[in-house]
Every structure is written in C-alpha cells, then in structure tokens.
Amino acid sequence: MKIALLGYGKMGKTIEKIAIERNHTIVLKVDKEDHNYDIAEADVAIDFSIPSAAVQNITKCITAGVPIVSGTTGWLAQYDEMVSLCKEKNGAFIYASNFSLGVNLFFELNKKLAKMMSPVEGYEPSMEEIHHTEKLDAPSGTAITLAEDIIDHTSKTSWKLDQGDKYAIPIAAKRIENVPGTHTVTYSSIVDDIEIKHTAHNRDGFALGAVVAAEWLQNKNGVYSMKDVLGL
Ligand SMILES: NC(=O)C1=CN([C@@H]2O[C@H](COP(=O)(O)OP(=O)(O)OC[C@H]3O[C@@H](n4cnc5c(N)ncnc54)[C@H](O)[C@@H]3O)[C@@H](O)[C@H]2O)C=CC1
Ligand SMILES: O=C(O)C1=N[C@H](C(=O)O)C[C@H](O)C1
C-alpha cells in the first residue's frame, strides 16, 4: 500500500517504522512547511499532525478521493463537518481518539463499568489523564471519548477539566515529560474506590492500530470507527 504521512513528528515517525515492517511504502511525508504536494499518488493517508491542521488535511484527502485515517486530537468541534464532506464526496474516513487495541478494549470495559455503576448510589466518577509535556490539547481525545461513554450510560451530563459541578465528570490533565499516555477512570465512594487504568508503554500500539485501520479502509467508502476495524 502506498501511504502518505500527514504530520512527521513522534507519531508520523513511529507509523513509518510499523508501516515499513508491514511491507507498505511511504510515498509522501508532509510536515508544517510542506504546502504544495500531490496527495493523489497515495492509496491512503494517515494524519497525525496538530489540532489546527487536521481539518485542512482531512478535507484535502477527501476532496482528492484518498481514504484518510486521522488520529489527530483537539479538532472535534468540526468532526460533523468532515463526516458530511465525506458523505457528499463518497469518500472514506476513520477518526479515532486512540488507535491502540488496548485502549479500544479499555473503551469497552469503561462502557460496561459505567452501565454497572449507573443504578448504584454513592459513587462519583472522575478521570485522570497523563501525557508528555509537548501535548497541545487538554484533556486528551481519549479522555473525552471515555467521558462521553460514561455520560451515555449514567446521569452525568458533561465533563469538565479539573473540578466539575455535580453533573459533570471532573478530568484532571497532567503533563509529565516523556509519558506516552495514561488514562484512569475512578468511581469514588466514602468507603472505597473502584478504578480502571490503561498505561501505554510506548507509541507502537497507537501506530500499529493506525496502520491496521489504513489497511482496512483501503477500497472502502464511508465513515468508520476503530470499533468497525476491530469488530468489537
Ligand atoms: N489517535 C491516536 O491513537 C493518537 C493520537 N495522537 C495525536 O496525534 C497528534 C500528533 O501527535 P505527535 O506525533 O505526538 O505530535 P508531534 O508534535 O510529535 O507531531 C506533530 C507533527 O505535525 C506537524 N505539523 C504541523 N502543522 C502541520 C500541517 N499543516 N500538516 C502536517 N503536519 C503538520 C508538526 O510540525 C509535527 O512534526 C496529536 O494530536 C496527538 O494528540 C497521538 C498519539 C496517538
Ligand atoms: O498526544 C498524545 O501523545 C496522545 N494523544 C491521544 C489523545 O489525545 O488521547 C492518544 C494518546 O493518549 C497519545
């Protein structure tokens, strides 16, 4: 498969390594100074760039008829716009706040736990995410997905950075050098805590998931999620 990398930072470089191991070819590496490039030479594009560039990159791919896998976080206010564009152009698009198999299993566990906790009185959910100090967005996209899944299954109606109000799930976003990504969901009562946690040891899981998603998306049309790719 001929892959275009949109964003050649920590993730772009890790994806390159995994893609080559899986016998793919990187035909294009686009970073912040690269504006005039022909995306049409790629079979699929993988965007791990920055929040302010994601929409432009995704639009360019969909318009050119190139399937696009986006892992960039922090731009989701325009997600519905990208979905409409994809449908209008009969394109192929996957966004996931987290592409790793481990986190996608963790998402399912989080939903199951939220369903279990929903009728139980006396427990308050809260979340913590820890990432490296270069991260531009907070809370993380993964934390937002976890919070939205809790909101779907409990009486909570929103999430809030740091201390929430009674109806919001508080999310603490911590930045510590070199941490690839740690997410904890806690239900606290006066007598005890129930906690689930995912710790990424490196970026290989995110990158492998993105390459597997790109392989899966090739020759398809439509808007998909990692749940579709993994059959969860
Ligand atoms: N969905 C997932 O599984 C994961 C998502 N991410 C997200 O991926 C994104 C990138 O993460 P990292 O690689 O760690 O960041 P990074 O900062 O190491 O790399 C981002 C790269 O994008 C480049 N860039 C800036 N403007 C651009 C443009 N217009 N077009 C293309 N590239 C441009 C930057 O120069 C930089 O090299 C972040 O939004 C992060 O939250 C990170 C890991 C996993
Ligand atoms: O910026 C990162 O590094 C990561 N970003 C994603 C997010 O915002 O959830 C996924 C992962 O946690 C690493």
Side-chain angles (χ1 to χ4, degrees):
M1 209 166 55
K2 290 189 275 179
I3 299 178
L5 296 177
L6 308 183
Y8 193 58
K10 291 181 284 299
M11 278 304 295
K13 291 183 177 112
T14 312
I15 289 167
E16 178 180 40
K17 180 190 78 174
I18 303 267
I20 290 169
E21 280 168 14
R22 291 174 73 88
N23 295 319
H24 301 302
T25 309
I26 306 300
V27 288
L28 203 57
K29 293 174 201 172
V30 176
D31 209 80
K32 65 177 171 225
E33 304 300 343
D34 310 323
H35 301 296
N36 297 317
Y37 57 90
D38 183 11
I39 194 74
E41 64 180 294
D43 296 322
V44 62
I46 305 182
D47 173 74
F48 281 74
S49 57
I50 56 170
S52 59
V55 168
Q56 203 181 350
N57 287 342
I58 296 165
T59 302
K60 187 158 183 161
C61 293
I62 292 176
T63 309
V66 176
I68 169 76
V69 172
S70 176
T72 306
T73 52
W75 61 274
L76 273 205
Q78 285 171 277
Y79 176 75
D80 290 347
E81 215 181 289
M82 293 299 98
V83 168
S84 300
L85 180 73
C86 184
K87 288 182 179 162
E88 183 198 319
K89 303 281 185 195
N90 201 22
F93 171 44
I94 293 183
Y95 163 77
S97 60
N98 200 305
F99 278 94
S100 80
L101 173 63
V103 163
N104 280 276
L105 294 170
F106 188 66
F107 284 155
E108 296 307 306
L109 187 63
N110 176 56
K111 282 185 234 175
K112 283 205 167 67
L113 180 58
K115 265 188 225 165
M116 279 174 64
M117 296 309 290
S118 174
V120 182
E121 282 182 17
Y123 285 89
E124 281 298 322
S126 65
M127 291 173 37
E128 180 187 83
E129 58 100 333
I130 312 173
H131 284 87
H132 54 94
T133 49
E134 290 150 29
K135 187 159 178 60
L136 297 178
D137 52 321
S140 67
T142 305
I144 294 173
T145 304
L146 290 164
E148 284 174 348
D149 287 340
I150 295 171
I151 289 164
D152 282 349
H153 292 100
T154 65
S155 60
K156 294 292 167 189
T157 54
S158 59
W159 56 264
K160 210 170 171 192
L161 262 181
D162 302 317
Q163 273 311 309
D165 57 48
K166 193 177 165 204
Y167 301 103
I169 303 160
I171 304 177
K174 297 188 178 163
R175 296 293 170 257
I176 299 173
E177 245 176 83
N178 298 326
V179 174
T182 302
H183 292 87
T184 310
V185 178
T186 306
Y187 289 81
S188 293
S189 79
I190 301 173
V191 293
D192 57 12
D193 284 356
I194 302 167
E195 204 159 88
I196 56 171
K197 179 175 181 180
H198 178 273
T199 307
H201 299 314
N202 52 52
R203 293 183 172 82
D204 285 7
F206 310 139
L208 175 61
V211 175
V212 167
E215 291 165 354
W216 185 92
L217 190 62
Q218 217 198 352
N219 303 321
K220 284 195 177 64
N221 300 102
V223 178
Y224 298 98
S225 69
M226 217 32 202
K227 214 167 143 52
D228 299 314
V229 176
L230 297 171
L232 292 173

